[in-house]
Amino acid sequence: MLFRSLILKVLALAVVIVLVVLLASTRLDGPRGLLAGGAFQSGERMASPSSWQFLEGQDTLEFQTEAPERSRTVWLVVHEGRLFLVSGYMNTLLGKVWKHWPFQIQENPNILIRDRGKIYEQQLTRIVSGQIAADVMRKFGNKYGLADVSTSDESLLAMLGAGDAWLFEVVSR
């Protein structure tokens, strides 16, 4: 009985600590790894680049939604100088609990991207079909080890069409 009481107290303390950390993170200047952060508080505003090629080879990128003002780290792919972001696991329990930003983008597509202290005002446009979508999803799969290289374009597009993953292109406002 004493052991059970101790376990319950430890679990309750762990829950309180997690909630405090999550609440505190909303005040941070940007995300910390997988932990979402608050609005960007530092960085120099820049004009939209004509090409995102300078991000080629980079694994992650920070971006912030406007409503609510929350920032997060996301995977990226540069394809033909264009920048793409993806949100996976959308139809899984984990995705339904954790992935709120794609739905927020439907309401307000405006975002800020921060890279090496530079902030770019952009928008996200969802892509669900077309050869570019298949090419970019294949590139995501190869870059992050998510898909078999033999996966057909039809399978990749079916995944987007079913909403299992949401693909976005970063465009100028």
Side-chain angles (χ1 to χ4, degrees), residues 6-51:
L6 179 62
I7 293 290
L8 290 175
K9 287 178 183 177
V10 168
L11 286 174
L13 179 61
V15 167
V16 168
I17 289 171
V18 166
L19 291 175
V20 167
V21 167
L22 290 175
L23 181 62
S25 76
T26 64
R27 291 164 179 43
L28 295 175
D29 176 16
R32 299 294 184 267
L34 291 177
L35 189 62
F40 294 151
Q41 299 166 20
S42 64
E44 177 186 1
R45 299 278 176 143
M46 304 294 290
S48 295
S50 59
S51 171

Side-chain angles (χ1 to χ4, degrees), residues 69-88:
E69 288 187 323
R70 295 289 308 253
S71 56
R72 60 209 27 89
T73 303
V74 68
W75 289 346
L76 69 131
V77 157
V78 176
H79 182 73
E80 299 175 351
R82 297 160 60 185
L83 179 59
F84 297 87
L85 310 179
V86 70
S87 180

